[in-house]
Amino acid sequence: MLQALMNLLSLCLKPFGHGRSSSSSDSKLESFVGVSKEGKDGLLWYRDVGRYWPGEFSMAVVQANQVIEDQSQIESGPFGTFVGVYDGHGGPEAARFVCDHLFRHFQESYFFSEYNIVKKIYWDLKDGILHVNVMDWEVTISAETHGVVTSETIQRAICATEEGFTNLVSELWSTRPQMATVGSCCLVGVIYQQTLFVANLGDSRVVLGKKVGSTGGIAAIQLSTEHNANLEAIRHELKNEHPNDPQIVVLKHGVWRVKGIIQVSRSIGDVYMKHARFNREPINAKFRLPEPMDKSILSANPTIISHPLHPNDSFLVFASDGLWEHLSNEKVVDIVHSNPCAGSAKRLVKAALQEAARKREMRYSDLQKIDKKVRRHFHDDITVIVLFLNHDLISKSAVQTPPVSVRSALER
């Protein structure tokens, strides 16, 4: 049984965990991907088209901050397809940490959920190879959970990632206390068999493009729930959770913020708003609360939904809030529907930049000349991933293609 377990995990985990923009076997990947144009145009990185298990994908990200704070990835393997968009704030560290660790925790949660580990299995993943050392082991297999992705699979992975980042902040507290004020929104999509799971922390968003009968039209359906204090429902939620705090949400300069500091109410990181031991000197005074923190103010508990995929479900657009700040759900879906597949993500980013330029009464060509950091006054970092759905492949409910591992590749 032990050997079977080791063989299974080695086979399943070997292609993953490299944390770079494409797999090490580029020639093999390209033969599977087909035409897959990847490139960089100034502050814009893109992959026009690629292949994953149930269809094609397009990715793009444009930088606005001095250091890119958005991270994203697509992973495809035995579990189906995993998509992540991580919009950092206060610095890039939390988003990078999530991109480096969340998918690995998801793999652990998926593969090890099949087993009841009675004794400890010590293992490590190095250079894409699983190294296992079993000490006084006993393993039993649960047929009910064998090879199944559930909401709990994703929940456990997010919880482990939050715990890992909190531990990192604690380790660095004496040398880099500012890490306590860094956080990241986290949008995850998992396509498993004929179901899409969406988990969200913060204000990134996924929108479904759904065909309307036989009319040739397309409808925009938002699948994610956002956690931003500018939404009345979120303010109501925060007030209910903190009934004795009249300052739990504060309107500053026309923007609602939690404790007058941060817009999102859920995230990974931002531990200064979750643990009292980090809300003190030497962090910057603007992050320190005037009253003692008797309970967590922000949460790392994601909203998770499951959506059974229907043949009329045409494509999915995952994006950080930098896109939705300038384009409506309907506009985004119309752009993709009118220009399907190759270059869809790049086209959406450029449409958002054109709208950002128009709002400032500028030409798009002038905006392109503005350098990073200064560009942040016009738009945020923007990450877009478009997944096109092939229902003939989805209906087979089995992954029969080589694994794919792609991460956005702007300078880190």
Side-chain angles (χ1 to χ4, degrees):
M1 182 182 296
L2 173 61
Q3 187 60 49
L5 173 62
M6 294 174 63
N7 290 344
L8 171 65
L9 292 174
S10 297
L11 174 64
C12 293
L13 289 175
K14 186 175 181 180
F16 303 103
H18 293 287
R20 49 191 175 186
S21 63
S22 59
S23 73
S24 58
S25 54
D26 284 337
S27 59
K28 293 181 181 179
L29 177 61
E30 290 304 318
S31 66
F32 163 61
V33 169
V35 179
S36 181
K37 183 180 179 183
E38 179 176 323
K40 189 177 178 184
D41 180 8
L43 298 178
L44 173 68
W45 173 89
Y46 58 88
R47 177 178 279 246
D48 276 345
V49 64
R51 286 278 306 281
Y52 73 110
W53 157 53
E56 295 179 311
F57 69 85
S58 178
M59 294 178 70
V61 55
V62 65
Q63 182 174 350
N65 292 288
Q66 178 65 40
V67 178
I68 184 75
E69 293 183 334
D70 278 13
Q71 297 290 313
S72 60
Q73 64 187 139
I74 296 177
E75 311 285 349
S76 191
F79 49 82
T81 297
F82 177 102
V83 176
V85 172
Y86 318 119
D87 182 3
H89 47 260
E93 293 87 356
R96 293 177 182 176
F97 185 92
V98 176
C99 202
D100 288 338
H101 293 82
L102 178 56
F103 175 63
R104 175 172 170 175
H105 287 309
F106 170 77
Q107 288 180 288
E108 295 171 7
S109 182
Y110 172 76
F111 290 117
F112 282 106
S113 67
E114 306 172 23
Y115 302 93
N116 177 19
I117 310 297
V118 180
K119 299 297 182 180
K120 185 68 175 179
I121 293 182
Y122 298 91
W123 67 285
D124 192 24
L125 187 66
K126 295 180 179 178
D127 299 323
I129 300 175
L130 185 71
H131 303 270
V132 181
N133 181 27
V134 180
M135 304 295 292
D136 193 16
W137 60 274
E138 181 181 349
V139 181
T140 59
I141 299 176
S142 170
E144 290 77 11
T145 59
H146 180 78
V148 176
V149 173
T150 66
S151 296
E152 289 72 24
T153 309
I154 304 170
Q155 174 83 46
R156 287 193 297 268
I158 290 175
C159 180
T161 305
E162 167 75 2
E163 181 180 358
F165 189 75
T166 302
N167 290 339
L168 178 64
V169 172
S170 184
E171 292 171 8
L172 298 177
W173 178 249
S174 62
T175 57
R176 297 181 62 192
Q178 69 275 13
M179 285 284 287
T181 64
V182 177
S184 179
C185 299
C186 178
L187 174 64
V188 169
V190 178
I191 299 176
Y192 175 72
Q193 295 184 352
Q194 299 182 56
T195 300
L196 167 70
F197 293 91
V198 174
N200 195 43
L201 295 161
D203 54 10
S204 296
R205 185 184 305 175
V206 57
V207 172
L208 167 69
K210 188 179 188 71
K211 297 175 184 176
V212 181
S214 58
T215 65
I218 196 83
I221 301 174
Q222 183 172 328
L223 297 179
S224 55
T225 299
E226 294 171 30
H227 312 110
N228 188 306
N230 277 316
L231 300 173
E232 184 177 358
I234 298 302
R235 295 198 297 274
H236 184 70
E237 177 181 87
L238 287 165
K239 290 175 181 178
N240 282 344
E241 292 174 353
H242 303 270
N244 300 319
D245 187 352
Q247 300 296 308
I248 188 63
V249 286
V250 177
L251 185 63
K252 294 182 66 173
H253 308 296
V255 177
W256 286 98
R257 297 179 182 274
V258 182
K259 300 300 292 181
I261 299 173
I262 186 170
Q263 285 184 256
V264 295
S265 62
R266 303 190 196 188
S267 67
I268 288 180
D270 296 308
V271 299
Y272 74 104
M273 281 283 206
K274 297 173 180 175
H275 304 282
R277 67 184 185 274
F278 298 120
N279 198 279
R280 59 182 177 86
E281 291 184 339
I283 69 169
N284 192 296
K286 69 180 180 180
F287 297 113
R288 301 202 297 268
L289 302 180
E291 67 282 345
M293 185 191 303
D294 59 358
K295 62 184 295 188
S296 294
I297 295 172
L298 300 190
S299 166
N301 184 35
T303 299
I304 304 179
I305 64 101
S306 61
H307 171 80
L309 292 172
H310 185 273
N312 281 354
D313 295 344
S314 182
F315 57 83
L316 298 159
V317 180
F318 296 80
S320 57
D321 71 315
L323 180 76
W324 311 109
E325 177 185 356
H326 299 293
L327 300 177
S328 67
N329 294 352
E330 292 72 22
K331 181 64 174 177
V332 164
V333 165
D334 285 344
I335 290 172
V336 177
H337 182 58
S338 301
N339 304 274
C341 294
S344 294
K346 180 170 62 176
R347 188 171 284 107
L348 287 175
V349 169
K350 288 187 174 181
L353 297 182
Q354 288 169 347
E355 179 61 17
R358 186 196 66 78
K359 289 177 180 177
R360 299 297 291 269
E361 299 182 342
M362 297 174 58
R363 293 178 299 182
Y364 173 65
S365 57
D366 293 330
L367 179 63
Q368 287 182 294
K369 298 174 184 176
I370 299 175
D371 199 4
K372 57 188 177 182
K373 187 177 181 180
V374 179
R375 184 83 77 87
R376 184 61 183 87
H377 297 292
F378 300 86
H379 66 85
D380 196 0
D381 294 338
I382 301 173
T383 294
V384 179
I385 298 176
V386 183
L387 296 186
F388 295 92
L389 303 172
N390 184 322
H391 290 277
D392 289 337
L393 296 175
I394 292 174
S395 64
K396 294 179 181 179
S397 299
V399 181
Q400 300 177 345
T401 56
V404 173
S405 181
V406 181
R407 283 177 56 170
S408 54
L410 284 177
E411 294 178 8
R412 293 179 52 155

